[in-house]
Coordinates of all heavy atoms in Angstrom, one line a residue:
M1279 N -7.1 -28.4 -0.9 CA -8.5 -28.3 -0.5 C -8.6 -28.3 1.0 O -9.5 -27.6 1.5 CB -9.2 -29.6 -1.1 CG -10.6 -29.6 -0.9 SD -11.4 -28.2 -1.8 CE -13.0 -28.6 -1.8
L1280 N -7.8 -29.0 1.7 CA -7.9 -29.0 3.2 C -7.6 -27.6 3.7 O -8.2 -27.1 4.7 CB -6.9 -30.0 3.8 CG -6.9 -30.1 5.3 CD1 -8.3 -30.5 5.8 CD2 -5.9 -31.1 5.7
K1281 N -6.7 -26.8 3.1 CA -6.4 -25.5 3.5 C -7.6 -24.6 3.4 O -7.9 -23.8 4.3 CB -5.2 -24.8 2.7 CG -3.9 -25.4 3.0 CD -2.9 -24.7 2.1 CE -1.5 -25.2 2.3 NZ -0.5 -24.5 1.4
V1282 N -8.3 -24.7 2.3 CA -9.5 -23.9 2.0 C -10.6 -24.2 3.0 O -11.2 -23.4 3.6 CB -10.0 -24.0 0.6 CG1 -11.4 -23.3 0.4 CG2 -9.0 -23.5 -0.4
F1283 N -10.8 -25.5 3.3 CA -11.8 -26.0 4.2 C -11.5 -25.4 5.6 O -12.4 -25.0 6.3 CB -12.0 -27.5 4.2 CG -13.0 -28.0 5.2 CD1 -14.3 -27.8 5.0 CD2 -12.5 -28.6 6.4 CE1 -15.2 -28.2 5.9 CE2 -13.5 -29.0 7.3 CZ -14.8 -28.8 7.1
S1284 N -10.3 -25.6 6.0 CA -9.8 -25.1 7.3 C -10.1 -23.6 7.5 O -10.5 -23.1 8.5 CB -8.4 -25.4 7.6 OG -8.2 -26.8 7.6
L1285 N -9.7 -22.9 6.4 CA -9.9 -21.4 6.5 C -11.4 -21.0 6.6 O -11.7 -20.2 7.4 CB -9.3 -20.8 5.2 CG -9.2 -19.3 5.1 CD1 -8.4 -18.7 6.2 CD2 -8.7 -18.8 3.8
L1286 N -12.2 -21.7 5.8 CA -13.6 -21.4 5.8 C -14.2 -21.8 7.2 O -15.0 -21.0 7.7 CB -14.4 -22.2 4.7 CG -14.1 -21.8 3.3 CD1 -14.8 -22.8 2.3 CD2 -14.7 -20.4 3.1
L1287 N -13.8 -22.9 7.7 CA -14.3 -23.3 9.0 C -13.9 -22.3 10.1 O -14.8 -21.9 10.9 CB -13.8 -24.7 9.4 CG -14.2 -25.3 10.7 CD1 -15.7 -25.5 10.8 CD2 -13.5 -26.5 11.0
C1288 N -12.7 -21.9 10.1 CA -12.3 -20.9 11.1 C -13.0 -19.6 11.0 O -13.4 -19.1 12.1 CB -10.8 -20.7 11.0 SG -9.8 -22.1 11.4
Y1289 N -13.2 -19.1 9.8 CA -13.9 -17.9 9.7 C -15.4 -18.0 10.0 O -16.1 -17.1 10.5 CB -13.7 -17.2 8.4 CG -12.4 -16.4 8.3 CD1 -11.3 -16.9 7.7 CD2 -12.3 -15.2 9.0 CE1 -10.1 -16.2 7.7 CE2 -11.1 -14.5 9.0 CZ -10.0 -15.0 8.3 OH -8.9 -14.4 8.3
S1290 N -16.0 -19.1 9.6 CA -17.5 -19.2 9.8 C -17.8 -19.5 11.2 O -18.9 -19.0 11.7 CB -18.0 -20.4 8.9 OG -17.5 -21.6 9.3
V1291 N -17.0 -20.2 12.0 CA -17.3 -20.4 13.4 C -16.7 -19.3 14.3 O -17.1 -19.2 15.4 CB -16.7 -21.8 13.8 CG1 -16.9 -22.1 15.2 CG2 -17.2 -22.9 12.9
G1292 N -15.8 -18.5 13.7 CA -15.3 -17.4 14.5 C -14.1 -17.9 15.4 O -13.7 -17.2 16.3
L1293 N -13.4 -18.9 15.0 CA -12.2 -19.4 15.7 C -11.0 -18.6 15.3 O -11.0 -18.0 14.2 CB -12.0 -20.9 15.4 CG -13.1 -21.8 15.8 CD1 -12.8 -23.3 15.4 CD2 -13.3 -21.8 17.3
T1294 N -10.0 -18.7 16.1 CA -8.7 -18.0 15.7 C -7.9 -18.9 14.8 O -7.8 -20.1 15.1 CB -7.9 -17.7 17.0 OG1 -8.7 -16.9 17.9 CG2 -6.7 -17.0 16.7
V1295 N -7.4 -18.4 13.8 CA -6.5 -19.1 12.9 C -5.2 -19.3 13.6 O -4.6 -18.3 14.0 CB -6.4 -18.4 11.5 CG1 -5.5 -19.2 10.6 CG2 -7.8 -18.3 10.9
H1296 N -4.6 -20.5 13.6 CA -3.4 -20.7 14.4 C -2.2 -20.2 13.6 O -1.1 -20.0 14.2 CB -3.2 -22.2 14.7 CG -4.3 -22.6 15.7 ND1 -4.2 -22.2 17.1 CD2 -5.4 -23.3 15.6 CE1 -5.2 -22.7 17.7 NE2 -6.0 -23.4 16.8
T1297 N -2.3 -20.0 12.3 CA -1.2 -19.5 11.5 C -1.1 -18.0 11.8 O -2.1 -17.4 12.0 CB -1.4 -19.7 10.0 OG1 -1.7 -21.1 9.8 CG2 -0.3 -19.3 9.2
A1298 N 0.1 -17.4 11.8 CA 0.2 -16.0 12.0 C -0.6 -15.3 10.9 O -0.5 -15.6 9.8 CB 1.7 -15.6 12.0
A1299 N -1.3 -14.3 11.4 CA -2.2 -13.5 10.5 C -1.4 -12.9 9.3 O -1.9 -12.8 8.2 CB -3.0 -12.5 11.2
Q1300 N -0.2 -12.4 9.6 CA 0.6 -11.8 8.5 C 1.0 -12.8 7.5 O 1.4 -12.4 6.4 CB 1.8 -11.0 9.1 CG 2.8 -11.9 9.8 CD 2.5 -12.0 11.3 OE1 1.4 -11.8 11.8 NE2 3.6 -12.4 12.0
D1301 N 0.9 -14.1 7.7 CA 1.3 -15.1 6.7 C 0.2 -15.4 5.7 O 0.4 -16.0 4.7 CB 1.7 -16.4 7.4 CG 2.9 -16.3 8.2 OD1 3.7 -15.4 8.0 OD2 3.2 -17.1 9.1
L1302 N -1.0 -15.0 6.0 CA -2.2 -15.2 5.1 C -2.4 -14.0 4.2 O -2.5 -12.9 4.7 CB -3.5 -15.4 6.0 CG -3.5 -16.7 6.8 CD1 -4.7 -16.8 7.6 CD2 -3.4 -17.9 5.9
P1303 N -2.5 -14.2 2.9 CA -2.7 -13.1 2.0 C -4.2 -12.7 1.9 O -4.9 -13.0 1.0 CB -2.2 -13.7 0.7 CG -2.4 -15.2 0.8 CD -2.3 -15.5 2.2
I1304 N -4.7 -12.1 3.0 CA -6.1 -11.7 3.1 C -6.2 -10.2 3.1 O -5.5 -9.5 3.9 CB -6.7 -12.3 4.3 CG1 -6.8 -13.9 4.2 CG2 -8.1 -11.8 4.6 CD1 -7.4 -14.6 5.4
T1305 N -7.1 -9.7 2.3 CA -7.5 -8.3 2.4 C -8.9 -8.3 2.9 O -9.7 -9.1 2.7 CB -7.5 -7.7 0.9 OG1 -6.3 -7.9 0.3 CG2 -7.8 -6.2 1.0
S1306 N -9.2 -7.3 3.8 CA -10.5 -7.2 4.4 C -11.1 -5.9 4.3 O -10.4 -4.8 4.2 CB -10.4 -7.6 5.9 OG -9.7 -6.7 6.6
W1307 N -12.4 -5.9 4.2 CA -13.3 -4.7 4.2 C -14.2 -4.9 5.4 O -15.2 -5.7 5.2 CB -14.0 -4.5 2.9 CG -13.2 -4.1 1.8 CD1 -12.9 -2.9 1.3 CD2 -12.5 -5.0 0.9 NE1 -12.1 -3.0 0.2 CE2 -11.8 -4.3 -0.1 CE3 -12.3 -6.4 0.9 CZ2 -11.0 -4.8 -1.0 CZ3 -11.5 -7.0 -0.1 CH2 -10.9 -6.2 -1.0
N1308 N -14.0 -4.4 6.5 CA -14.7 -4.6 7.7 C -15.9 -3.7 7.9 O -15.9 -2.6 7.5 CB -13.8 -4.5 9.0 CG -12.7 -5.5 9.0 OD1 -12.9 -6.6 8.5 ND2 -11.6 -5.2 9.5
Q1309 N -17.0 -4.3 8.5 CA -18.2 -3.5 8.9 C -18.2 -3.4 10.4 O -17.8 -4.3 11.1 CB -19.4 -4.3 8.5 CG -20.0 -4.1 7.1 CD -20.2 -2.6 6.7 OE1 -19.3 -2.1 6.0 NE2 -21.3 -2.0 7.0
S1310 N -18.8 -2.3 10.9 CA -18.9 -2.2 12.3 C -20.0 -3.0 12.9 O -20.1 -3.3 14.0 CB -19.1 -0.7 12.7 OG -20.2 -0.2 12.0
T1311 N -21.0 -3.3 12.0 CA -22.1 -4.1 12.5 C -22.1 -5.5 11.8 O -21.5 -5.6 10.8 CB -23.5 -3.4 12.2 OG1 -23.6 -3.3 10.8 CG2 -23.6 -2.1 12.8
R1312 N -22.7 -6.4 12.5 CA -22.7 -7.8 11.9 C -24.1 -8.3 11.7 O -24.5 -9.4 12.0 CB -22.0 -8.8 12.9 CG -20.5 -8.4 13.0 CD -19.8 -9.6 13.5 NE -18.4 -9.3 13.5 CZ -17.5 -10.0 13.1 NH1 -17.8 -11.2 12.6 NH2 -16.2 -9.7 13.1
D1313 N -25.0 -7.4 11.1 CA -26.3 -7.8 10.9 C -26.5 -8.5 9.5 O -27.6 -9.0 9.2 CB -27.3 -6.6 10.9 CG -26.9 -5.5 10.0 OD1 -25.7 -5.5 9.5 OD2 -27.7 -4.6 9.7
K1314 N -25.5 -8.6 8.7 CA -25.5 -9.3 7.5 C -24.4 -10.4 7.5 O -23.4 -10.3 8.2 CB -25.3 -8.4 6.3 CG -26.4 -7.5 6.0 CD -26.3 -6.7 4.7 CE -27.5 -5.8 4.5 NZ -27.4 -5.1 3.2
P1315 N -24.5 -11.4 6.7 CA -23.5 -12.5 6.6 C -22.1 -12.0 6.2 O -22.0 -11.0 5.5 CB -24.0 -13.5 5.6 CG -25.4 -13.1 5.4 CD -25.6 -11.7 5.7
L1316 N -21.1 -12.7 6.6 CA -19.7 -12.4 6.2 C -19.5 -13.0 4.8 O -20.0 -14.1 4.6 CB -18.8 -13.1 7.2 CG -17.3 -13.0 6.9 CD1 -16.6 -12.5 8.1 CD2 -16.8 -14.3 6.5
V1317 N -18.8 -12.3 4.0 CA -18.5 -12.8 2.6 C -17.0 -13.2 2.6 O -16.1 -12.3 2.9 CB -18.8 -11.8 1.6 CG1 -18.4 -12.2 0.2 CG2 -20.3 -11.4 1.6
L1318 N -16.7 -14.4 2.2 CA -15.3 -14.8 2.0 C -15.1 -15.0 0.5 O -15.8 -15.8 -0.2 CB -15.0 -16.1 2.7 CG -13.6 -16.7 2.5 CD1 -12.6 -15.7 3.0 CD2 -13.4 -18.0 3.1
Y1319 N -14.3 -14.1 -0.1 CA -14.0 -14.1 -1.6 C -12.7 -14.8 -1.8 O -11.7 -14.4 -1.2 CB -14.1 -12.7 -2.1 CG -13.7 -12.6 -3.5 CD1 -14.6 -12.8 -4.5 CD2 -12.4 -12.1 -3.9 CE1 -14.2 -12.7 -5.9 CE2 -12.0 -12.0 -5.2 CZ -12.9 -12.3 -6.2 OH -12.6 -12.2 -7.5
L1320 N -12.7 -15.8 -2.7 CA -11.4 -16.4 -3.1 C -11.1 -15.9 -4.5 O -11.9 -16.1 -5.5 CB -11.5 -17.9 -3.1 CG -11.9 -18.6 -1.8 CD1 -12.1 -20.1 -2.0 CD2 -11.0 -18.2 -0.7
S1321 N -10.0 -15.3 -4.7 CA -9.6 -14.8 -6.0 C -9.3 -15.9 -7.0 O -9.1 -17.1 -6.5 CB -8.4 -13.8 -5.9 OG -7.2 -14.6 -5.7
G1322 N -9.2 -15.6 -8.2 CA -8.8 -16.6 -9.2 C -7.3 -16.7 -9.2 O -6.6 -16.2 -8.3
D1323 N -6.7 -17.4 -10.2 CA -5.3 -17.7 -10.3 C -4.5 -16.4 -10.6 O -3.3 -16.4 -10.5 CB -4.9 -18.8 -11.2 CG -5.4 -18.5 -12.7 OD1 -6.1 -17.5 -12.9 OD2 -5.0 -19.3 -13.5
G1324 N -5.2 -15.3 -11.0 CA -4.5 -14.0 -11.2 C -4.3 -13.2 -9.9 O -3.7 -12.2 -10.0
G1325 N -4.8 -13.7 -8.8 CA -4.7 -13.0 -7.6 C -5.7 -11.9 -7.4 O -6.7 -11.8 -8.2
I1326 N -5.5 -11.0 -6.4 CA -6.4 -9.9 -6.2 C -6.0 -8.8 -7.2 O -4.9 -8.2 -7.1 CB -6.2 -9.3 -4.8 CG1 -6.6 -10.4 -3.7 CG2 -7.1 -8.1 -4.6 CD1 -8.1 -10.7 -3.7
N1327 N -6.9 -8.6 -8.2 CA -6.6 -7.6 -9.2 C -7.7 -6.4 -9.1 O -8.4 -6.4 -8.1 CB -6.6 -8.2 -10.6 CG -7.9 -9.0 -10.8 OD1 -8.9 -8.7 -10.3 ND2 -7.8 -10.0 -11.7
R1328 N -7.7 -5.6 -10.0 CA -8.7 -4.4 -10.0 C -10.1 -4.9 -9.9 O -11.0 -4.4 -9.2 CB -8.4 -3.5 -11.1 CG -9.2 -2.2 -11.1 CD -8.7 -1.3 -9.9 NE -9.7 -0.4 -9.6 CZ -9.8 0.2 -8.4 NH1 -8.9 0.0 -7.5 NH2 -10.8 1.0 -8.1
F1329 N -10.4 -6.0 -10.7 CA -11.8 -6.5 -10.7 C -12.2 -7.0 -9.4 O -13.2 -6.7 -8.8 CB -11.9 -7.7 -11.8 CG -13.2 -8.4 -11.7 CD1 -14.4 -7.9 -12.2 CD2 -13.3 -9.6 -11.0 CE1 -15.6 -8.5 -12.1 CE2 -14.5 -10.3 -10.8 CZ -15.6 -9.7 -11.4
S1330 N -11.3 -7.8 -8.7 CA -11.6 -8.3 -7.4 C -11.8 -7.2 -6.4 O -12.7 -7.3 -5.6 CB -10.4 -9.2 -7.0 OG -10.3 -10.4 -7.8
T1331 N -10.9 -6.2 -6.4 CA -11.0 -5.1 -5.5 C -12.3 -4.4 -5.7 O -13.0 -4.1 -4.7 CB -9.8 -4.2 -5.7 OG1 -8.6 -4.9 -5.5 CG2 -9.9 -3.0 -4.7
D1332 N -12.7 -4.1 -6.9 CA -13.9 -3.4 -7.2 C -15.1 -4.2 -6.7 O -16.1 -3.7 -6.1 CB -14.1 -3.1 -8.7 CG -13.1 -2.0 -9.1 OD1 -12.6 -1.3 -8.3 OD2 -13.0 -1.8 -10.4
L1333 N -15.1 -5.5 -7.0 CA -16.2 -6.4 -6.6 C -16.4 -6.4 -5.1 O -17.5 -6.2 -4.5 CB -16.0 -7.8 -7.1 CG -17.0 -8.8 -6.7 CD1 -18.4 -8.5 -7.3 CD2 -16.6 -10.2 -7.1
C1334 N -15.2 -6.6 -4.4 CA -15.3 -6.6 -2.9 C -15.7 -5.3 -2.3 O -16.5 -5.2 -1.3 CB -13.9 -7.0 -2.3 SG -13.5 -8.8 -2.7
E1335 N -15.3 -4.2 -2.9 CA -15.7 -2.9 -2.4 C -17.2 -2.7 -2.6 O -17.8 -2.1 -1.8 CB -14.9 -1.8 -3.1 CG -13.4 -1.7 -2.6 CD -12.6 -0.7 -3.4 OE1 -13.1 -0.1 -4.4 OE2 -11.4 -0.5 -3.0
N1336 N -17.7 -3.1 -3.7 CA -19.1 -3.0 -4.0 C -19.9 -3.8 -3.0 O -21.0 -3.3 -2.5 CB -19.4 -3.4 -5.5 CG -20.8 -3.1 -5.9 OD1 -21.8 -3.4 -5.2 ND2 -20.9 -2.6 -7.1
I1337 N -19.5 -5.0 -2.7 CA -20.2 -5.9 -1.8 C -20.2 -5.2 -0.4 O -21.2 -5.2 0.3 CB -19.6 -7.3 -1.7 CG1 -19.8 -8.0 -3.1 CG2 -20.1 -8.1 -0.6 CD1 -19.0 -9.3 -3.2
H1338 N -19.0 -4.7 0.0 CA -18.8 -4.0 1.2 C -19.7 -2.7 1.3 O -20.4 -2.5 2.4 CB -17.4 -3.6 1.4 CG -17.2 -2.8 2.7 ND1 -17.0 -1.4 2.7 CD2 -17.0 -3.1 4.0 CE1 -16.9 -1.0 3.9 NE2 -16.9 -2.0 4.7
D1339 N -19.8 -2.0 0.2 CA -20.7 -0.8 0.2 C -22.2 -1.1 0.4 O -23.0 -0.3 0.8 CB -20.5 -0.1 -1.1 CG -19.2 0.6 -1.2 OD1 -18.5 0.8 -0.2 OD2 -18.8 1.0 -2.4
N1340 N -22.5 -2.4 0.2 CA -23.9 -2.9 0.4 C -24.1 -3.4 1.8 O -25.1 -4.1 2.1 CB -24.3 -3.9 -0.6 CG -24.6 -3.2 -2.0 OD1 -25.6 -2.5 -2.1 ND2 -23.8 -3.5 -3.0
G1341 N -23.1 -3.2 2.7 CA -23.3 -3.5 4.1 C -22.7 -4.9 4.6 O -22.9 -5.3 5.7
F1342 N -21.9 -5.5 3.7 CA -21.4 -6.8 4.1 C -19.9 -6.7 4.5 O -19.2 -5.8 4.0 CB -21.4 -7.8 2.9 CG -22.8 -8.2 2.5 CD1 -23.5 -7.5 1.6 CD2 -23.4 -9.3 3.1 CE1 -24.8 -7.8 1.3 CE2 -24.7 -9.7 2.8 CZ -25.4 -9.0 1.8
E1343 N -19.5 -7.5 5.5 CA -18.1 -7.6 5.8 C -17.4 -8.6 4.9 O -17.9 -9.7 4.7 CB -18.0 -8.1 7.3 CG -16.6 -8.1 7.8 CD -16.5 -8.4 9.3 OE1 -17.6 -8.5 9.9 OE2 -15.4 -8.4 9.8
V1344 N -16.3 -8.2 4.2 CA -15.7 -9.0 3.2 C -14.3 -9.3 3.5 O -13.5 -8.4 3.9 CB -15.8 -8.3 1.8 CG1 -15.1 -9.1 0.7 CG2 -17.2 -7.8 1.4
Y1345 N -13.9 -10.6 3.3 CA -12.5 -11.0 3.5 C -12.2 -11.7 2.1 O -12.9 -12.6 1.7 CB -12.4 -12.0 4.6 CG -12.5 -11.4 6.0 CD1 -13.7 -11.2 6.5 CD2 -11.4 -10.9 6.6 CE1 -13.9 -10.6 7.8 CE2 -11.5 -10.3 7.9 CZ -12.8 -10.1 8.4 OH -12.9 -9.5 9.6
A1346 N -11.1 -11.3 1.5 CA -10.7 -11.8 0.2 C -9.3 -12.5 0.4 O -8.3 -11.9 0.8 CB -10.5 -10.6 -0.8
L1347 N -9.3 -13.7 0.0 CA -8.1 -14.5 0.0 C -7.4 -14.5 -1.4 O -8.1 -14.8 -2.4 CB -8.3 -16.0 0.4 CG -7.1 -16.9 0.3 CD1 -6.2 -16.6 1.5 CD2 -7.6 -18.4 0.4
N1348 N -6.1 -14.1 -1.4 CA -5.4 -14.0 -2.7 C -4.9 -15.4 -3.0 O -3.9 -15.9 -2.5 CB -4.2 -13.0 -2.5 CG -3.5 -12.8 -3.8 OD1 -3.5 -13.7 -4.7 ND2 -2.9 -11.7 -4.0
S1349 N -5.7 -16.1 -3.8 CA -5.4 -17.5 -4.1 C -4.1 -17.7 -4.8 O -3.4 -18.7 -4.6 CB -6.5 -18.1 -5.0 OG -7.7 -18.1 -4.4
R1350 N -3.7 -16.7 -5.6 CA -2.4 -16.9 -6.3 C -1.2 -17.0 -5.3 O -0.4 -17.8 -5.4 CB -2.2 -15.7 -7.2 CG -0.9 -15.7 -8.0 CD -0.7 -14.5 -8.9 NE 0.5 -14.6 -9.6 CZ 0.8 -13.7 -10.5 NH1 0.1 -12.7 -10.7 NH2 2.0 -13.9 -11.2
N1351 N -1.2 -16.1 -4.3 CA -0.2 -16.1 -3.3 C -0.3 -17.3 -2.3 O 0.7 -17.8 -1.8 CB -0.2 -14.8 -2.5 CG 0.3 -13.6 -3.3 OD1 0.8 -13.8 -4.4 ND2 0.1 -12.5 -2.8
Y1352 N -1.5 -17.7 -2.0 CA -1.8 -18.7 -1.0 C -1.5 -20.1 -1.5 O -0.9 -20.9 -0.8 CB -3.2 -18.6 -0.5 CG -3.5 -19.5 0.7 CD1 -2.9 -19.3 1.9 CD2 -4.3 -20.6 0.6 CE1 -3.2 -20.1 3.0 CE2 -4.6 -21.4 1.7 CZ -4.0 -21.1 2.9 OH -4.3 -21.9 4.0
F1353 N -1.9 -20.4 -2.7 CA -1.7 -21.8 -3.3 C -0.5 -22.0 -4.1 O -0.1 -23.1 -4.4 CB -3.0 -22.2 -4.1 CG -4.2 -22.3 -3.2 CD1 -5.2 -21.3 -3.3 CD2 -4.4 -23.3 -2.3 CE1 -6.4 -21.4 -2.6 CE2 -5.5 -23.4 -1.5 CZ -6.5 -22.5 -1.7
Y1354 N 0.1 -20.9 -4.6 CA 1.2 -21.0 -5.6 C 2.5 -21.5 -4.9 O 2.8 -21.1 -3.8 CB 1.5 -19.7 -6.2 CG 2.7 -19.7 -7.2 CD1 2.6 -20.3 -8.4 CD2 3.9 -19.3 -6.8 CE1 3.6 -20.4 -9.3 CE2 5.0 -19.3 -7.6 CZ 4.9 -19.9 -8.9 OH 5.9 -19.9 -9.7
S1355 N 3.1 -22.5 -5.5 CA 4.5 -22.9 -5.1 C 5.3 -23.2 -6.4 O 4.8 -23.8 -7.3 CB 4.4 -24.1 -4.2 OG 3.9 -25.2 -4.9
R1356 N 6.5 -22.6 -6.4 CA 7.3 -22.8 -7.6 C 7.7 -24.2 -7.8 O 8.0 -25.0 -6.9 CB 8.6 -21.9 -7.4 CG 9.5 -21.9 -8.7 CD 10.6 -21.0 -8.5 NE 10.2 -19.6 -8.4 CZ 10.1 -18.8 -9.4 NH1 10.4 -19.2 -10.6 NH2 9.8 -17.5 -9.2
K1357 N 7.6 -24.7 -9.1 CA 7.9 -26.0 -9.5 C 8.9 -26.1 -10.6 O 8.8 -25.2 -11.5 CB 6.6 -26.8 -9.8 CG 5.6 -26.9 -8.8 CD 4.4 -27.6 -9.3 CE 3.3 -27.7 -8.2 NZ 2.7 -26.4 -7.9
T1358 N 9.7 -27.1 -10.6 CA 10.6 -27.3 -11.8 C 9.7 -27.9 -12.9 O 8.7 -28.5 -12.6 CB 11.8 -28.2 -11.4 OG1 11.3 -29.5 -11.1 CG2 12.5 -27.6 -10.2
P1359 N 10.2 -27.9 -14.1 CA 9.5 -28.6 -15.2 C 9.3 -30.1 -14.9 O 8.2 -30.6 -15.3 CB 10.4 -28.4 -16.4 CG 11.1 -27.1 -16.1 CD 11.3 -27.1 -14.7
D1360 N 10.2 -30.7 -14.2 CA 10.0 -32.2 -13.9 C 8.9 -32.4 -12.9 O 8.3 -33.5 -12.9 CB 11.4 -32.7 -13.4 CG 12.4 -32.8 -14.5 OD1 12.1 -32.9 -15.7 OD2 13.6 -32.7 -14.1
E1361 N 8.7 -31.4 -12.0 CA 7.7 -31.6 -11.0 C 6.3 -31.4 -11.5 O 5.3 -31.8 -10.9 CB 7.9 -30.6 -9.9 CG 9.2 -30.9 -9.1 CD 9.5 -29.9 -8.1 OE1 9.2 -28.7 -8.3 OE2 10.0 -30.2 -7.0
T1362 N 6.1 -30.7 -12.7 CA 4.8 -30.4 -13.2 C 4.2 -31.5 -14.0 O 4.1 -32.5 -14.0 CB 4.8 -29.2 -14.1 OG1 5.7 -29.4 -15.2 CG2 5.1 -27.9 -13.3

């Protein structure tokens, strides 16, 4: 939860994320103008799939800048049966 809050705070305030950008599983659809709010989309446990891509593209086509976090890659960590 702290990771999500930190990510949201950094993007909403416009701060630089201290983690290397290539380490974050984020896909973006950028707008050249910033007259509409930024949209941060968090995928489900299936990750960024065709539905997520279509949804983000549709939102972007309506003039919004969209950043999509692939929750599956960001939050997943392999566990043994004893750890679950």
